[in-house]
Amino acid sequence: LANELIRQVKVRYPGVQVQLHENHSDQLRKEVAEGCYDFAVVNLPVNESVLEVRPIEQDDMVLAVPNRLLEKVRVQPGQTISLADCREVPFVAMGKSQELRRMLDRLCAKADFNPIIAVEVNGIATAWEMVGAGLGASLVPMQFIKGKYAASDVTLFPVRDSLSTRQPAVVTRR
C-alpha cells in the first residue's frame, strides 16, 4: 500500500521529496496534526476536527495459521473463522500498543477468552515470518498478503466479524 502510494506521488509530482517514516498510527496522527508531516497513512478513526481524511481501500483481516496447528482450529480450511474457534491456538501478536494487537484483544474478548500469546513482535512482516516458522497464528491484513506473501505451509482464514476490518486513510492537517 505505502509503496504504491509513494510511486503515484513520485509519478504525479516528480519534484517532491518523499521521506517515509513508520510509526504507530496514534503517533503518526499526532505528528500530522502538529505539522511534522504533510500527510500520513493511518487507520480510522481519527479526530476529524484536526485532520482532513481521505479514506482509501478498506482492508480485511485474515487469520494466518501454520498448517501444523490446523488441528487446533475448529473450522476447515476454506471456511470463515471466528476467534472463538481458536481458543487453543497460540498466537503471534503485535505489541500491546499496536492497533492489530488491540483488534486481536477485542476479537478474543468478544469470543470470551484470553489468547495464548506465543510470541510478541513489532511488525507485520516479522509476524508473518513467525507464522511461517510454525510458532503461532496471527491476524494479518489481506493487503499485506496480496500478491506479495504466500506460503504453502500457512492457511488463511477470512475472519467473520465486523471488528476484523480496518479502514486506512490518508490524513492531512486541516
Side-chain angles (χ1 to χ4, degrees):
L1 181 63
N3 59 350
E4 178 59 22
L5 182 61
I6 291 169
R7 188 191 68 71
Q8 287 179 17
V9 168
K10 294 298 280 179
V11 166
R12 192 167 183 183
Y13 306 101
V16 170
Q17 179 185 9
V18 177
Q19 294 179 348
L20 181 63
H21 296 271
E22 295 180 285
N23 208 332
H24 297 291
S25 286
D26 295 340
Q27 186 66 29
L28 290 172
R29 287 182 197 101
K30 178 180 179 275
E31 290 170 344
V32 168
E34 292 172 351
C36 298
Y37 306 119
D38 294 319
F39 71 93
V41 178
V42 299
N43 293 307
L44 297 181
V46 299
N47 181 347
E48 293 190 37
S49 68
V50 177
L51 297 171
E52 184 78 30
V53 177
R54 293 191 181 163
I56 50 183
E57 186 179 344
Q58 185 172 301
D59 200 2
D60 295 319
M61 297 297 120
V62 293
L63 186 67
V65 180
N67 289 346
R68 71 176 204 82
L69 296 176
L70 285 176
E71 74 278 356
K72 294 182 180 279
V73 178
R74 296 182 190 163
V75 298
Q76 296 299 311
Q79 296 179 315
T80 60
I81 198 167
S82 164
L83 273 281
D85 300 316
C86 304
R87 293 176 190 278
E88 299 172 22
V89 177
F91 283 90
V92 175
M94 300 293 146
K96 290 183 180 183
S97 66
Q98 293 180 292
E99 288 182 64
L100 281 178
R101 174 58 177 274
R102 293 191 300 253
M103 181 182 288
L104 173 67
D105 290 343
R106 283 192 311 270
L107 287 166
C108 291
K110 188 173 180 181
D112 198 31
F113 78 100
N114 291 319
I116 302 163
I117 305 299
V119 181
E120 192 170 276
V121 298
N122 287 323
I124 297 170
T126 305
W128 181 256
E129 292 297 321
M130 297 295 122
V131 172
L135 298 175
S138 189
L139 273 179
V140 291
M142 194 61 197
Q143 288 193 15
F144 172 80
I145 296 168
K146 274 187 195 174
K148 190 173 183 183
Y149 292 90
S152 59
D153 54 349
V154 174
T155 299
L156 302 177
F157 291 91
V159 180
R160 65 169 175 258
D161 193 300
S162 61
L163 295 176
S164 67
T165 301
R166 65 183 191 171
Q167 178 62 64
V170 174
V171 295
T172 56
R173 193 171 174 188
R174 280 202 174 271

